[in-house]
Amino acid sequence: MSNVNDRTHDEDLEWAESENLIEESTVLELISKTGIEPNFFNTMDWINNFYERTQDPTTELLSETLANLSYIISEYRGKDFTTDIDSVGLEQIDRLEKLYKKIAGRIPELLPYKEHFRFNNPLELFLNDISCGSYPPPEILMMLAKCFNLYFIAEGKLSLEEVFFGQVVKRSGNYSMRKVSSTNFKEFHYHVIREKQCVVNTNIKFNLEEFTLSYLKSCEESETDCPIINVTEDNIESFIVAYYRWKKNFNKQTSLIDKAEIKVDSINALLSLGYPKPLVEQVILKVFNNKLTAEETIKKALLVLMNNK
């Protein structure tokens, strides 16, 4: 019986190795055919999946799960670069994990990784680890390698901005520009959380407007840089409205698998209505928004299809 189990495990490992070696190729195929964002590797979803693979190498790859959902069959697209760039195998992943355990350790309470109001993605976790003098764990180091590998095998179709931070957003610019505009709320949110924690065991009722005013005043009196800029007593209400909007959008996070399922369900619903598949896929890619449900996506796509008749 043990021989059968050993043989099954060996087969699982062999399958995992083959899927791992074409991971970047699979992602490139998903980007071109399903419209997933090119910053796939620089996401909390991916590093959580990779962390699971460091503990159990036979864990299914997130890219493979998404490919199966969308019926995508990928082929190896590796190139013979002079720098010998290649994907990393299970042996190298295992070695990285063993070395990491000798010099550091993860904090169980912080797993799985989640988007934090101060850290949007694994690259920011990497920068934070370095700034604190900590060794980044294998999943964060591997994120860097995967992003660069994807950039190289895309052969000019993807920029470094795209593979790390996704596509440039119209009227919002690249990631650096978007981060500047959102920092106003992130730092403010941090101080709001701290204040709420301070009054939790008291009879004091937290009032956001009063706190904002007192915080502005304390910054002025101490002559320190205030994390919320361009806010005065005259426009404080509009700032608070904008803060609540930011907070709502931040809390509304959707996993990559959920997004893929919404997209697949929307496509299948429109196909059942008799629309041709190439047209349906094109329209869904055009209207898809991470904040929309499947029903909302279908309604939006139907409006486009009816208007184009």
Side-chain angles (χ1 to χ4, degrees), residues 137-154:
E139 55 270 20
I140 292 181
L141 293 176
M142 195 59 66
M143 171 275 300
L144 291 170
K146 292 285 185 176
C147 283
F148 280 110
N149 270 359
L150 180 62
Y151 169 75
F152 282 114
I153 71 167

Side-chain angles (χ1 to χ4, degrees), residues 170-267:
K170 289 182 180 179
R171 295 186 294 277
S172 296
N174 60 23
Y175 182 74
S176 178
M177 292 176 65
R178 299 197 301 274
K179 186 169 178 61
V180 167
S181 63
S182 67
T183 298
N184 210 19
F185 299 120
K186 288 180 182 178
E187 290 303 310
F188 178 69
H189 186 57
Y190 169 70
H191 291 283
V192 167
I193 289 174
R194 286 186 62 186
E195 181 65 17
K196 284 183 175 180
Q197 289 172 340
C198 289
V199 302
V200 70
N201 293 321
T202 69
N203 294 323
I204 302 171
K205 187 175 181 181
F206 178 80
N207 181 288
L208 184 59
E209 186 170 336
E210 289 177 3
F211 169 74
T212 308
L213 286 169
S214 65
Y215 187 74
L216 285 169
K217 187 177 180 181
S218 66
C219 286
E220 290 174 4
E221 290 175 351
S222 60
E223 296 182 350
T224 57
D225 291 335
C226 186
I228 51 175
I229 57 176
N230 302 323
V231 181
T232 64
E233 289 187 34
D234 296 330
N235 66 1
I236 196 167
E237 288 185 3
S238 61
F239 169 79
I240 289 175
V241 169
Y243 165 67
Y244 277 127
R245 189 184 305 119
W246 170 85
K247 188 178 175 183
K248 181 181 178 181
N249 288 334
F250 172 78
N251 289 330
K252 192 176 181 180
Q253 303 293 339
T254 308
S255 73
L256 289 172
I257 292 177
D258 288 339
K259 291 174 189 175
E261 288 178 340
I262 288 171
K263 196 173 290 185
V264 169
D265 290 344
S266 302
I267 289 173

Side-chain angles (χ1 to χ4, degrees), residues 65-132:
T65 303
L66 295 177
N68 289 336
L69 276 171
S70 302
Y71 307 104
I72 298 294
I73 299 175
S74 61
E75 295 179 1
Y76 180 61
R77 289 179 179 234
K79 301 292 180 182
D80 293 325
F81 294 110
T82 54
T83 48
D84 293 327
I85 291 173
D86 197 359
S87 191
V88 180
L90 299 184
E91 182 183 346
Q92 290 78 17
I93 293 171
D94 182 58
R95 191 182 306 146
L96 280 171
E97 181 68 11
K98 287 177 179 176
L99 287 172
Y100 180 70
K101 286 179 178 177
K102 291 180 179 181
I103 57 176
R106 302 175 183 84
I107 302 174
E109 293 78 16
L110 299 180
L111 295 171
Y113 294 96
K114 296 177 183 176
E115 281 197 38
H116 187 268
F117 60 88
R118 282 189 153 182
F119 309 118
N120 285 344
N121 52 63
L123 182 62
E124 292 180 354
L125 292 176
F126 167 79
L127 295 173
N128 182 66
D129 281 342
I130 295 299
S131 67
C132 293

Side-chain angles (χ1 to χ4, degrees), residues 9-10 12-21 50 53-54 56-59 61 87-97:
H9 183 66
D10 288 343
D12 288 342
L13 281 175
E14 187 176 340
W15 178 261
E17 174 81 343
S18 64
E19 295 300 332
N20 183 74
L21 290 173
F50 188 87
R53 286 152 56 193
T54 63
D56 178 5
T58 62
T59 302
L61 278 68
S87 191
V88 180
L90 299 184
E91 182 183 346
Q92 290 78 17
I93 293 171
D94 182 58
R95 191 182 306 146
L96 280 171
E97 181 68 11

